[in-house]
Amino acid sequence: GVQTCALPILTPTAAHWAVVLKSVVAHRAPSASSPAVATLDTMTGDGTQNIVLILQGVELSKKVTWYRVRLPILPNNSTGWVPRSALGQLYTVNTHLYVDRETDTLVLKKNGVPIFTTRVGTGHSYWPTPAGQFYIRDKLTDFNDPFYGPVAFGTSARSAVLTDWPGGGYIGVHGTNEPQLLPGHVSHGCIRLMNAAILKLASFRIAAFM
């Protein structure tokens, strides 16, 4: 029979993630015979190790476990099932990043308690920042482009229209060389912070945001 793993599902105070150890097909159900949803590679387009956010687990036998994961594909908020054997060790983080697109406010919470708040820039109405639940995929500091500030985080969120994230498609959380534009709806979908704010955010351990 199928048993639900003891692994807790994603909550406002805890998230679980794992590295993709080998290229794997994500399926619609916890079975290799179910339809494929997407293929997960071991590396991101930014050249960093690919990770997935774990949402749920089922144990099919003592040796076979599948996890439902958040997928970095369109449509946003897509999920799929991958075998445990394709993933590395599971890690837990207790920080979540919340972005309010109406007030252009970002709040970082640890164990559900706010520990950092700042005003931000979000997407224009015609290049909106997508709504949903996503996760941080990578952290970049060596792109040498003042437009993105000193630090940029790549997320699993995708723009259905356009983005100013390098490589196209993905929504980033990054600094800016135009601080006078913040806060407001100023980007192609990315979330822009003052450079001092993105450096402060980068000092915390973040691996998922909502």
Side-chain angles (χ1 to χ4, degrees):
V2 176
Q3 280 189 310
T4 300
C5 292
L7 173 77
I9 62 170
L10 186 71
T11 71
T13 57
H16 307 271
W17 62 274
V19 168
V20 180
L21 289 183
K22 57 185 179 182
S23 183
V24 64
V25 174
H27 292 270
R28 192 172 296 167
S31 166
S33 61
S34 73
V37 180
T39 298
L40 291 169
D41 293 320
T42 58
M43 303 294 287
T44 70
D46 294 317
T48 59
Q49 203 165 35
N50 200 12
I51 67 172
V52 287
L53 186 69
I54 311 288
L55 302 176
Q56 184 182 357
V58 294
E59 192 176 78
L60 302 183
S61 70
K62 289 188 176 181
K63 293 185 178 181
V64 180
T65 297
W66 285 70
Y67 288 124
R68 186 167 72 93
V69 302
R70 180 79 62 202
L71 297 171
I73 63 172
L74 286 171
N76 281 305
N77 302 300
S78 294
T79 65
W81 290 86
V82 296
R84 174 74 180 88
S85 57
L87 304 178
Q89 177 182 343
L90 266 63
Y91 296 90
T92 302
V93 290
N94 54 10
T95 50
H96 279 74
L97 198 60
Y98 296 83
V99 178
D100 188 321
R101 299 174 304 161
E102 291 186 5
T103 63
D104 292 314
T105 302
L106 174 151
V107 179
L108 179 68
K109 293 184 179 182
K110 182 175 183 178
N111 293 318
V113 179
I115 58 173
F116 175 68
T117 301
T118 188
R119 299 298 302 281
V120 299
T122 54
H124 288 288
S125 59
Y126 38 90
W127 294 320
T129 300
Q133 187 180 75
F134 310 102
Y135 63 97
I136 300 290
R137 299 178 77 211
D138 50 30
K139 176 184 177 181
L140 303 175
T141 57
D142 56 357
F143 39 81
N144 295 318
D145 186 340
F147 180 82
Y148 298 104
V151 181
F153 292 98
T155 79
S156 61
R158 302 288 291 267
S159 172
V161 285
L162 183 65
T163 181
D164 51 8
W165 184 246
Y170 289 98
I171 299 299
V173 181
H174 60 78
T176 183
N177 62 348
E178 297 180 300
Q180 71 278 5
L181 298 181
L182 307 184
H185 302 306
V186 300
S187 77
H188 294 86
C190 286
I191 298 157
R192 295 188 195 175
L193 282 69
M194 295 286 194
N195 286 345
I198 194 71
L199 287 171
K200 179 68 174 177
L201 182 64
S203 71
F204 297 103
R205 181 175 178 232
I206 61 173
F209 86 93
M210 300 166 94

